[in-house]
Coordinates of all heavy atoms in Angstrom, one line a residue:
M1 N 139.8 84.2 41.3 CA 139.3 85.0 40.2 C 138.8 86.4 40.7 O 138.3 86.5 41.8 CB 138.1 84.3 39.5 CG 137.5 85.1 38.4 SD 136.6 84.0 37.3 CE 135.9 85.2 36.2
N2 N 139.1 87.4 39.9 CA 138.7 88.7 40.3 C 137.3 89.0 39.9 O 136.9 88.8 38.8 CB 139.6 89.7 39.4 CG 139.4 91.1 39.8 OD1 138.4 91.5 40.4 ND2 140.3 92.0 39.4
D3 N 136.5 89.3 41.0 CA 135.1 89.5 40.7 C 134.6 91.0 40.6 O 133.5 91.3 40.7 CB 134.2 88.7 41.7 CG 134.5 89.2 43.2 OD1 135.3 90.1 43.3 OD2 133.9 88.7 44.1
S4 N 135.6 91.9 40.5 CA 135.3 93.3 40.4 C 134.7 93.5 39.0 O 134.9 92.8 38.1 CB 136.5 94.2 40.6 OG 137.4 93.9 39.5
A5 N 133.9 94.6 38.9 CA 133.2 94.9 37.6 C 134.3 95.2 36.6 O 135.3 95.9 36.9 CB 132.3 96.1 37.8
P6 N 134.1 94.8 35.3 CA 135.1 95.1 34.3 C 135.1 96.6 34.1 O 134.1 97.3 34.2 CB 134.6 94.4 33.1 CG 133.2 93.9 33.4 CD 133.0 93.9 34.9
L7 N 136.3 97.1 33.7 CA 136.4 98.5 33.3 C 135.7 98.8 32.0 O 135.1 99.9 31.8 CB 137.8 98.9 33.2 CG 138.7 98.8 34.4 CD1 140.2 99.0 34.1 CD2 138.2 99.8 35.5
C8 N 135.8 97.9 31.1 CA 135.2 98.0 29.7 C 135.5 96.7 29.0 O 136.1 95.8 29.6 CB 135.9 99.1 28.9 SG 137.6 99.0 28.7
R9 N 135.0 96.6 27.8 CA 135.4 95.5 26.9 C 136.6 95.9 26.1 O 136.7 97.0 25.7 CB 134.2 95.1 26.0 CG 133.0 94.7 26.6 CD 133.0 93.2 27.0 NE 133.3 92.3 25.9 CZ 133.6 91.0 26.0 NH1 133.7 90.5 27.2 NH2 133.8 90.3 25.0
L10 N 137.5 94.9 25.8 CA 138.7 95.2 25.0 C 138.3 95.8 23.7 O 138.9 96.8 23.2 CB 139.5 93.9 24.8 CG 140.7 94.1 23.9 CD1 141.8 95.0 24.6 CD2 141.4 92.8 23.6
D11 N 137.2 95.3 23.1 CA 136.9 95.8 21.7 C 136.2 97.2 21.8 O 135.9 97.8 20.8 CB 136.0 94.8 21.0 CG 134.8 94.4 21.7 OD1 134.3 95.1 22.6 OD2 134.2 93.4 21.3
Q12 N 136.0 97.8 23.0 CA 135.5 99.2 23.1 C 136.6 100.2 22.9 O 136.4 101.3 22.7 CB 134.9 99.4 24.4 CG 133.5 98.7 24.6 CD 133.0 99.0 26.0 OE1 133.5 98.5 27.0 NE2 132.0 99.8 26.1
I13 N 137.9 99.7 23.0 CA 139.1 100.6 22.9 C 139.6 100.4 21.5 O 140.1 99.3 21.1 CB 140.2 100.2 23.9 CG1 139.6 100.0 25.3 CG2 141.3 101.3 23.9 CD1 140.6 99.3 26.2
P14 N 139.6 101.4 20.7 CA 140.2 101.3 19.3 C 141.7 101.0 19.5 O 142.4 101.5 20.3 CB 140.0 102.7 18.7 CG 138.9 103.3 19.5 CD 139.0 102.8 20.9
D15 N 142.1 100.0 18.6 CA 143.5 99.6 18.7 C 144.4 100.8 18.5 O 144.3 101.6 17.5 CB 143.8 98.5 17.7 CG 145.1 97.8 18.0 OD1 145.8 98.1 19.0 OD2 145.5 97.0 17.1
G16 N 145.4 101.0 19.4 CA 146.3 102.2 19.3 C 145.8 103.5 19.9 O 146.4 104.5 19.8
D17 N 144.7 103.4 20.6 CA 144.0 104.5 21.1 C 143.7 104.3 22.6 O 144.2 103.4 23.2 CB 142.8 104.8 20.3 CG 142.4 106.3 20.4 OD1 142.8 107.1 21.3 OD2 141.6 106.8 19.5
A18 N 142.8 105.1 23.2 CA 142.5 105.0 24.6 C 141.1 105.5 24.9 O 140.6 106.3 24.1 CB 143.5 105.9 25.4
I19 N 140.6 105.0 26.0 CA 139.3 105.6 26.4 C 139.4 105.8 27.9 O 140.4 105.4 28.6 CB 138.1 104.6 26.2 CG1 138.3 103.3 27.0 CG2 137.9 104.3 24.7 CD1 137.1 102.4 26.9
A20 N 138.5 106.5 28.5 CA 138.4 106.7 30.0 C 137.5 105.7 30.6 O 136.5 105.2 30.0 CB 137.9 108.1 30.3
A21 N 137.8 105.3 31.8 CA 137.0 104.3 32.6 C 136.9 104.8 34.0 O 137.9 105.2 34.6 CB 137.6 102.9 32.5
R22 N 135.7 104.8 34.5 CA 135.5 105.2 35.9 C 135.6 104.0 36.8 O 135.0 103.0 36.6 CB 134.1 105.9 36.0 CG 133.7 106.4 37.3 CD 133.9 107.9 37.4 NE 133.8 108.2 38.8 CZ 134.7 109.1 39.4 NH1 135.5 109.7 38.7 NH2 134.6 109.4 40.7
V23 N 136.3 104.2 38.0 CA 136.3 103.2 39.0 C 135.6 103.8 40.2 O 136.1 104.9 40.8 CB 137.8 102.8 39.4 CG1 137.8 101.8 40.5 CG2 138.5 102.3 38.1
D24 N 134.5 103.2 40.7 CA 133.8 103.7 41.8 C 134.3 103.1 43.1 O 134.6 101.9 43.1 CB 132.3 103.5 41.7 CG 131.7 104.3 40.6 OD1 132.0 105.5 40.5 OD2 130.9 103.7 39.8
T25 N 134.6 103.9 44.1 CA 135.0 103.4 45.4 C 134.2 104.1 46.5 O 133.5 105.1 46.2 CB 136.5 103.7 45.6 OG1 136.7 105.1 45.8 CG2 137.4 103.3 44.5
A26 N 134.4 103.6 47.7 CA 133.6 104.2 48.8 C 134.1 105.6 49.0 O 133.3 106.5 49.5 CB 133.9 103.4 50.1
A27 N 135.3 106.0 48.6 CA 135.8 107.3 48.8 C 135.4 108.3 47.6 O 135.9 109.4 47.6 CB 137.3 107.3 48.9
G28 N 134.7 107.8 46.7 CA 134.2 108.6 45.6 C 134.7 108.2 44.2 O 134.1 108.6 43.2
G29 N 135.8 107.4 44.2 CA 136.2 106.9 42.9 C 137.2 107.7 42.2 O 137.6 108.8 42.6
F30 N 137.6 107.3 41.0 CA 138.6 108.0 40.2 C 138.4 107.5 38.7 O 137.7 106.6 38.4 CB 140.0 107.7 40.7 CG 140.4 106.2 40.9 CD1 140.9 105.5 39.8 CD2 140.1 105.6 42.1 CE1 141.2 104.2 40.0 CE2 140.4 104.2 42.2 CZ 140.9 103.5 41.2
E31 N 139.1 108.2 37.9 CA 139.1 107.9 36.4 C 140.4 107.4 35.9 O 141.5 108.0 36.3 CB 138.6 109.2 35.7 CG 138.3 108.9 34.2 CD 137.8 110.1 33.5 OE1 136.6 110.3 33.6 OE2 138.6 110.8 32.8
L32 N 140.3 106.4 35.1 CA 141.5 105.9 34.5 C 141.5 106.1 33.0 O 140.5 106.3 32.3 CB 141.5 104.3 34.7 CG 141.7 103.8 36.1 CD1 141.6 102.3 36.0 CD2 143.0 104.3 36.7
I33 N 142.8 106.2 32.4 CA 143.0 106.2 31.0 C 143.3 104.7 30.7 O 144.2 104.1 31.3 CB 144.2 107.0 30.6 CG1 144.1 108.4 31.1 CG2 144.3 107.0 29.1 CD1 145.4 109.2 31.1
V34 N 142.6 104.1 29.8 CA 142.8 102.7 29.4 C 143.2 102.7 28.0 O 142.5 103.1 27.1 CB 141.6 101.8 29.6 CG1 141.9 100.4 29.4 CG2 141.0 102.0 31.1
L35 N 144.5 102.3 27.7 CA 145.1 102.3 26.4 C 145.2 100.9 25.9 O 145.5 99.9 26.6 CB 146.5 102.9 26.4 CG 146.5 104.4 27.0 CD1 147.2 104.5 28.3 CD2 147.2 105.3 26.0
R36 N 145.1 100.8 24.6 CA 145.2 99.4 23.9 C 146.3 99.4 22.9 O 146.4 100.4 22.1 CB 143.9 99.1 23.3 CG 143.9 97.8 22.5 CD 142.6 97.5 21.9 NE 142.6 96.2 21.2 CZ 141.7 95.8 20.4 NH1 140.5 96.4 20.4 NH2 141.8 94.7 19.7
Q37 N 147.1 98.4 22.9 CA 148.0 98.1 21.8 C 147.8 96.6 21.4 O 148.3 95.7 22.1 CB 149.5 98.3 22.2 CG 149.9 99.8 22.2 CD 151.4 99.9 22.4 OE1 152.1 99.0 22.8 NE2 151.9 101.1 22.2
G38 N 147.0 96.4 20.4 CA 146.7 95.0 20.0 C 145.9 94.3 21.1 O 144.8 94.8 21.5
E39 N 146.4 93.2 21.7 CA 145.7 92.5 22.7 C 146.2 93.0 24.1 O 145.8 92.5 25.1 CB 146.0 91.0 22.6 CG 145.5 90.4 21.3 CD 144.0 90.7 21.1 OE1 143.2 90.3 22.0 OE2 143.6 91.3 20.1
R40 N 147.2 93.9 24.1 CA 147.7 94.4 25.4 C 147.0 95.7 25.8 O 146.6 96.5 25.0 CB 149.2 94.7 25.3 CG 150.0 93.5 24.9 CD 151.5 93.6 25.1 NE 152.0 94.8 24.5 CZ 153.2 95.4 24.8 NH1 153.9 94.9 25.8 NH2 153.6 96.4 24.2
V41 N 146.8 95.8 27.1 CA 146.1 97.0 27.7 C 147.0 97.6 28.8 O 147.7 96.8 29.5 CB 144.7 96.8 28.2 CG1 143.7 96.5 27.0 CG2 144.6 95.6 29.2
F42 N 146.9 98.9 29.0 CA 147.6 99.6 30.0 C 146.7 100.6 30.6 O 145.8 101.2 29.9 CB 148.8 100.3 29.4 CG 149.7 99.4 28.6 CD1 149.4 99.3 27.2 CD2 150.7 98.7 29.2 CE1 150.2 98.4 26.4 CE2 151.5 97.8 28.4 CZ 151.2 97.7 27.0
A43 N 146.8 100.9 31.9 CA 145.9 101.8 32.6 C 146.6 102.7 33.5 O 147.6 102.2 34.2 CB 144.8 101.1 33.3
Y44 N 146.3 104.0 33.5 CA 146.9 105.0 34.3 C 145.8 105.9 34.9 O 144.8 106.1 34.2 CB 147.9 105.8 33.5 CG 148.9 105.0 32.8 CD1 148.8 104.6 31.5 CD2 150.0 104.5 33.5 CE1 149.7 103.8 30.8 CE2 151.0 103.7 32.9 CZ 150.8 103.4 31.5 OH 151.7 102.5 30.9
H45 N 146.1 106.5 36.0 CA 145.2 107.5 36.6 C 145.2 108.7 35.6 O 146.2 109.1 35.1 CB 145.7 107.9 38.0 CG 145.3 107.0 39.1 ND1 144.2 107.1 39.8 CD2 146.0 105.9 39.5 CE1 144.2 106.1 40.7 NE2 145.2 105.4 40.5
N46 N 144.0 109.2 35.4 CA 143.8 110.3 34.5 C 144.1 111.6 35.2 O 143.3 112.5 35.5 CB 142.4 110.3 33.9 CG 142.3 111.4 32.8 OD1 143.2 112.0 32.4 ND2 141.0 111.6 32.4
E47 N 145.4 111.7 35.6 CA 145.9 112.9 36.3 C 147.3 113.1 35.9 O 148.2 112.3 36.2 CB 145.8 112.7 37.9 CG 146.2 113.9 38.7 CD 146.0 113.7 40.2 OE1 145.1 112.9 40.6 OE2 146.7 114.2 40.9
C48 N 147.6 114.2 35.3 CA 148.9 114.5 34.8 C 149.8 114.9 35.9 O 149.4 115.8 36.7 CB 148.8 115.7 33.7 SG 150.4 116.0 33.0
P49 N 151.0 114.4 36.0 CA 151.9 114.7 37.0 C 152.5 116.2 36.9 O 153.1 116.6 37.9 CB 153.1 113.7 36.9 CG 153.0 113.2 35.5 CD 151.6 113.3 35.1
H50 N 152.2 116.8 35.8 CA 152.7 118.2 35.7 C 151.9 119.1 36.6 O 152.4 119.8 37.5 CB 152.7 118.7 34.2 CG 153.0 120.1 34.1 ND1 152.2 121.0 33.3 CD2 153.9 120.9 34.6 CE1 152.7 122.2 33.4 NE2 153.8 122.2 34.2
A51 N 150.6 119.2 36.3 CA 149.7 120.2 37.0 C 148.5 119.6 37.6 O 147.6 120.3 38.0 CB 149.4 121.4 36.2
G52 N 148.4 118.2 37.6 CA 147.3 117.5 38.2 C 146.0 117.6 37.4 O 144.9 117.2 37.9
R53 N 146.1 118.0 36.2 CA 144.9 118.0 35.3 C 144.6 116.7 34.6 O 145.5 115.9 34.5 CB 145.0 119.2 34.3 CG 145.5 120.5 34.9 CD 144.3 121.4 35.1 NE 143.6 121.8 33.9 CZ 144.0 122.9 33.2 NH1 145.0 123.6 33.5 NH2 143.3 123.2 32.1
N54 N 143.4 116.5 34.2 CA 143.1 115.4 33.3 C 143.8 115.6 32.0 O 144.0 116.7 31.5 CB 141.6 115.3 33.0 CG 140.8 114.9 34.3 OD1 141.4 114.6 35.3 ND2 139.5 114.9 34.1
L55 N 144.2 114.4 31.4 CA 145.0 114.5 30.1 C 144.1 114.6 28.9 O 144.7 114.8 27.8 CB 145.9 113.2 30.0 CG 147.1 113.2 30.9 CD1 146.8 112.7 32.3 CD2 148.2 112.4 30.3
D56 N 142.8 114.4 29.0 CA 142.0 114.3 27.8 C 141.7 115.7 27.2 O 141.7 116.7 27.9 CB 140.7 113.5 28.0 CG 140.1 113.6 29.4 OD1 140.8 114.1 30.3 OD2 139.0 113.2 29.6
Y57 N 141.5 115.8 25.9 CA 141.2 117.0 25.2 C 139.7 117.3 25.1 O 139.2 118.4 24.9 CB 141.8 117.1 23.8 CG 141.3 116.1 22.8 CD1 140.2 116.4 22.0 CD2 142.0 114.9 22.6 CE1 139.7 115.5 21.1 CE2 141.5 114.0 21.7 CZ 140.4 114.3 20.9 OH 139.9 113.4 20.0
A58 N 138.9 116.2 25.3 CA 137.5 116.2 25.5 C 137.2 115.0 26.3 O 138.0 114.1 26.4 CB 136.8 116.1 24.1
P59 N 136.1 115.0 27.0 CA 135.8 113.9 28.0 C 136.0 112.5 27.3 O 135.3 112.2 26.3 CB 134.4 114.1 28.4 CG 134.2 115.6 28.3 CD 135.0 116.0 27.0
G60 N 137.0 111.8 27.8 CA 137.2 110.4 27.3 C 138.0 110.3 26.0 O 138.1 109.3 25.5
R61 N 138.5 111.5 25.5 CA 139.2 111.5 24.2 C 140.7 111.9 24.5 O 140.9 112.9 25.1 CB 138.6 112.4 23.2 CG 137.1 112.2 23.0 CD 136.8 110.9 22.3 NE 137.5 110.8 21.0 CZ 136.9 111.2 19.9 NH1 135.7 111.8 19.8 NH2 137.6 111.1 18.7
F62 N 141.6 111.1 24.0 CA 143.0 111.3 24.3 C 143.9 111.4 23.1 O 143.5 110.9 22.0 CB 143.5 110.1 25.2 CG 142.8 110.0 26.5 CD1 141.7 109.2 26.6 CD2 143.3 110.7 27.6 CE1 141.0 109.1 27.8 CE2 142.6 110.6 28.8 CZ 141.5 109.8 28.9
L63 N 145.0 112.1 23.2 CA 145.9 112.2 22.1 C 146.9 111.1 22.2 O 147.9 111.1 23.0 CB 146.7 113.6 22.2 CG 145.7 114.8 22.2 CD1 146.5 116.0 22.5 CD2 145.1 115.0 20.8
V64 N 146.8 110.0 21.4 CA 147.7 108.9 21.4 C 148.2 108.7 20.0 O 147.4 108.6 19.0 CB 146.9 107.6 21.8 CG1 147.9 106.4 21.9 CG2 146.2 107.8 23.1
R65 N 149.5 108.6 19.8 CA 150.1 108.4 18.5 C 151.5 107.8 18.7 O 152.3 108.2 19.6 CB 150.2 109.6 17.7 CG 150.5 109.4 16.2 CD 150.4 110.6 15.4 NE 151.5 111.5 15.7 CZ 151.6 112.7 15.2 NH1 150.7 113.2 14.4 NH2 152.7 113.5 15.5
D66 N 151.8 106.8 17.9 CA 153.2 106.2 17.9 C 153.7 105.8 19.3 O 154.8 106.0 19.6 CB 154.2 107.1 17.2 CG 153.8 107.5 15.8 OD1 153.2 106.6 15.1 OD2 154.2 108.6 15.3
G67 N 152.8 105.2 20.0 CA 153.2 104.7 21.4 C 153.3 105.7 22.4 O 153.9 105.5 23.5
Q68 N 152.9 107.0 22.1 CA 153.0 108.0 23.1 C 151.6 108.6 23.4 O 150.8 108.8 22.5 CB 153.9 109.1 22.6 CG 155.3 108.7 22.5 CD 156.2 109.9 22.1 OE1 155.8 111.1 22.2 NE2 157.4 109.6 21.6
L69 N 151.4 109.0 24.6 CA 150.2 109.7 25.1 C 150.6 111.1 25.4 O 151.6 111.3 26.1 CB 149.6 109.0 26.3 CG 148.5 109.7 27.1 CD1 147.3 109.8 26.3 CD2 148.2 108.9 28.4
T70 N 149.9 112.0 24.8 CA 150.2 113.5 25.0 C 149.2 114.1 25.9 O 148.0 114.0 25.6 CB 150.4 114.2 23.7 OG1 151.4 113.6 23.0 CG2 150.7 115.7 23.9
C71 N 149.6 114.8 27.0 CA 148.6 115.5 27.8 C 148.1 116.7 27.0 O 148.9 117.5 26.4 CB 149.3 116.0 29.1 SG 148.2 117.0 30.1
A72 N 146.8 116.9 26.9 CA 146.2 117.9 26.1 C 146.4 119.3 26.7 O 146.1 120.3 26.0 CB 144.7 117.6 25.9
V73 N 146.8 119.4 28.0 CA 146.8 120.7 28.6 C 148.1 121.5 28.3 O 148.0 122.6 27.7 CB 146.7 120.5 30.2 CG1 146.7 121.9 30.9 CG2 145.4 119.7 30.5
H74 N 149.3 120.9 28.5 CA 150.5 121.6 28.2 C 151.5 120.7 27.4 O 152.6 121.1 27.2 CB 151.3 122.0 29.5 CG 150.4 122.8 30.4 ND1 150.0 122.3 31.6 CD2 149.9 124.1 30.3 CE1 149.3 123.2 32.3 NE2 149.2 124.3 31.5
G75 N 151.0 119.6 26.9 CA 151.8 118.8 25.9 C 152.9 117.8 26.5 O 153.7 117.4 25.7
A76 N 152.8 117.5 27.7 CA 153.8 116.5 28.3 C 153.5 115.2 27.5 O 152.3 114.9 27.2 CB 153.6 116.3 29.8
T77 N 154.5 114.4 27.3 CA 154.3 113.1 26.6 C 154.8 111.9 27.5 O 155.7 112.0 28.2 CB 155.1 113.0 25.3 OG1 156.5 113.3 25.5 CG2 154.5 114.0 24.3
F78 N 154.0 110.8 27.4 CA 154.3 109.6 28.2 C 154.3 108.4 27.3 O 153.5 108.3 26.3 CB 153.1 109.5 29.2 CG 153.0 110.8 30.1 CD1 152.1 111.8 29.7 CD2 153.7 110.9 31.3 CE1 152.0 112.9 30.5 CE2 153.6 112.0 32.1 CZ 152.7 113.0 31.7
A79 N 155.1 107.4 27.7 CA 155.1 106.1 27.0 C 153.8 105.4 27.3 O 153.5 105.2 28.5 CB 156.3 105.3 27.4
V80 N 153.1 104.9 26.3 CA 151.9 104.1 26.5 C 152.2 102.9 27.3 O 151.4 102.5 28.2 CB 151.3 103.7 25.1 CG1 150.2 102.6 25.3 CG2 150.7 104.9 24.4
T81 N 153.3 102.2 27.1 CA 153.5 100.9 27.8 C 154.0 101.0 29.2 O 154.0 100.0 30.0 CB 154.5 100.0 27.0 OG1 155.7 100.8 26.8 CG2 154.0 99.7 25.6
S82 N 154.6 102.2 29.6 CA 155.1 102.3 31.0 C 154.6 103.5 31.7 O 154.7 103.5 33.0 CB 156.6 102.4 30.9 OG 157.0 103.6 30.3
G83 N 154.0 104.5 31.0 CA 153.6 105.7 31.7 C 154.7 106.7 32.0 O 154.5 107.7 32.5
A84 N 156.0 106.3 31.6 CA 157.1 107.1 31.8 C 157.0 108.5 31.1 O 156.5 108.5 30.0 CB 158.4 106.4 31.4
C85 N 157.5 109.5 31.7 CA 157.6 110.8 31.1 C 158.6 110.8 30.0 O 159.8 110.4 30.3 CB 157.9 111.9 32.2 SG 158.2 113.5 31.5
L86 N 158.2 111.2 28.8 CA 159.2 111.2 27.7 C 159.6 112.6 27.3 O 160.7 112.8 26.7 CB 158.5 110.5 26.5 CG 158.2 109.1 26.6 CD1 157.4 108.6 25.4 CD2 159.4 108.2 26.9
G87 N 158.8 113.6 27.6 CA 159.1 114.9 27.2 C 158.1 115.9 27.7 O 157.1 115.6 28.3
G88 N 158.4 117.2 27.5 CA 157.4 118.2 28.0 C 157.6 118.5 29.4 O 158.7 118.2 30.0
P89 N 156.6 119.2 30.0 CA 156.9 119.7 31.4 C 156.7 118.7 32.5 O 156.9 119.1 33.7 CB 155.8 120.8 31.5 CG 154.7 120.3 30.6 CD 155.4 119.7 29.5
C90 N 156.5 117.4 32.2 CA 156.4 116.4 33.3 C 157.8 116.1 33.9 O 158.8 116.1 33.2 CB 155.7 115.2 32.9 SG 156.5 114.5 31.4
R91 N 157.9 115.8 35.2 CA 159.1 115.3 35.8 C 159.0 113.9 36.2 O 160.0 113.3 36.6 CB 159.5 116.2 36.9 CG 159.9 117.6 36.5 CD 160.7 118.3 37.6 NE 161.1 119.6 37.1 CZ 161.3 120.6 37.8 NH1 161.1 120.6 39.1 NH2 161.6 121.8 37.3
S92 N 157.8 113.4 36.3 CA 157.6 112.0 36.7 C 156.5 111.4 35.8 O 155.9 112.1 35.0 CB 157.1 111.9 38.1 OG 155.9 112.6 38.3
G93 N 156.4 110.1 35.9 CA 155.4 109.4 35.0 C 154.0 109.4 35.6 O 153.7 109.9 36.7
L94 N 153.2 108.7 34.8 CA 151.8 108.5 35.2 C 151.7 107.4 36.2 O 152.6 106.5 36.3 CB 150.9 108.1 34.0 CG 150.9 109.2 32.8 CD1 150.2 108.6 31.6 CD2 150.1 110.4 33.3
V95 N 150.7 107.4 37.0 CA 150.5 106.4 38.0 C 149.7 105.2 37.4 O 148.6 105.4 37.0 CB 149.7 106.9 39.3 CG1 149.4 105.8 40.2 CG2 150.5 108.1 39.9
A96 N 150.4 104.1 37.3 CA 149.8 102.9 36.7 C 148.9 102.2 37.6 O 149.0 102.1 38.8 CB 150.9 102.0 36.2
M97 N 147.9 101.5 37.0 CA 147.0 100.6 37.7 C 147.1 99.3 36.9 O 147.0 99.2 35.6 CB 145.6 101.0 37.6 CG 145.3 102.2 38.5 SD 145.4 101.8 40.3 CE 143.8 100.9 40.5
P98 N 147.4 98.1 37.5 CA 147.5 96.9 36.8 C 146.2 96.4 36.3 O 145.2 96.4 37.1 CB 148.1 95.9 37.9 CG 147.7 96.5 39.2 CD 147.6 98.0 39.0
V99 N 146.2 96.0 35.1 CA 144.9 95.5 34.5 C 145.2 94.2 33.7 O 146.4 93.9 33.3 CB 144.3 96.6 33.5 CG1 143.7 97.7 34.3 CG2 145.3 97.0 32.5
E100 N 144.2 93.5 33.4 CA 144.3 92.3 32.6 C 143.0 92.1 31.7 O 142.0 92.8 32.0 CB 144.4 91.1 33.5 CG 143.3 90.8 34.4 CD 143.5 89.7 35.4 OE1 144.5 89.0 35.3 OE2 142.6 89.6 36.3
V101 N 143.1 91.3 30.7 CA 142.0 91.0 29.9 C 141.6 89.6 30.2 O 142.4 88.6 30.1 CB 142.4 91.2 28.4 CG1 141.2 90.8 27.5 CG2 142.9 92.6 28.1
V102 N 140.3 89.4 30.6 CA 139.8 88.1 30.9 C 138.5 88.0 30.0 O 137.5 88.7 30.2 CB 139.4 88.0 32.4 CG1 138.8 86.6 32.7 CG2 140.6 88.3 33.2
E103 N 138.6 87.0 29.1 CA 137.4 86.7 28.2 C 136.9 88.0 27.6 O 135.6 88.2 27.5 CB 136.3 85.9 29.0 CG 136.8 84.6 29.5 CD 135.8 83.9 30.3 OE1 134.7 84.4 30.6 OE2 136.1 82.7 30.7
G104 N 137.8 88.9 27.2 CA 137.4 90.1 26.4 C 137.0 91.2 27.3 O 136.8 92.4 26.8
D105 N 137.0 91.0 28.7 CA 136.7 92.1 29.6 C 138.1 92.7 30.1 O 139.0 91.9 30.4 CB 136.0 91.6 30.8 CG 134.5 91.4 30.6 OD1 133.9 92.0 29.6 OD2 133.9 90.6 31.3
V106 N 138.2 94.0 30.2 CA 139.4 94.6 30.8 C 139.0 94.8 32.3 O 138.0 95.5 32.6 CB 139.7 95.9 30.1 CG1 140.9 96.6 30.8 CG2 140.0 95.7 28.6
R107 N 139.9 94.2 33.1 CA 139.6 94.3 34.6 C 140.8 94.8 35.3 O 142.0 94.5 34.9 CB 139.3 92.9 35.1 CG 138.0 92.3 34.6 CD 137.7 90.9 35.1 NE 136.4 90.4 34.7 CZ 135.3 90.7 35.4 NH1 135.4 91.4 36.6 NH2 134.2 90.2 35.0
L108 N 140.6 95.4 36.5 CA 141.7 95.6 37.4 C 142.2 94.3 37.9 O 141.4 93.4 38.2 CB 141.3 96.5 38.6 CG 140.9 97.9 38.3 CD1 140.3 98.6 39.5 CD2 142.1 98.7 37.7
R109 N 143.5 94.2 38.1 CA 144.1 92.9 38.6 C 144.0 92.9 40.1 O 144.2 94.0 40.8 CB 145.5 92.7 38.2 CG 145.6 91.9 36.9 CD 146.9 91.3 36.7 NE 147.7 92.3 35.9 CZ 149.0 92.4 35.9 NH1 149.7 91.6 36.6 NH2 149.6 93.4 35.2
Ligands
LIG1 S1 148.9 119.4 33.1 FE1 149.6 117.9 31.7 S2 151.3 118.9 30.7 FE2 150.6 120.3 32.1

């Protein structure tokens, strides 16, 4: 069993939307985008492959619609379920982190 701290509760993520979650490490940590589609969750580093900026338009607030996440900086779009670049100035996808839901907690796998 994974005993790391949960990223959040599943019900903290509005269905079809995303929140930010902080992962603390000895090296200082990083921030994830945690997206929800029903009972499924997906997590990616909050770093756009276009220019290395965070994707949120305000801290922890993301542009998510119709299964696509749009970077708020220059408009690159990514698939929620894979992180693949779908359009805009990105040439590669988002860096995924494997997550799972255990008893309502969203955790890194
Ligand atoms: S930094 Fe995301 S599209 Fe440019």
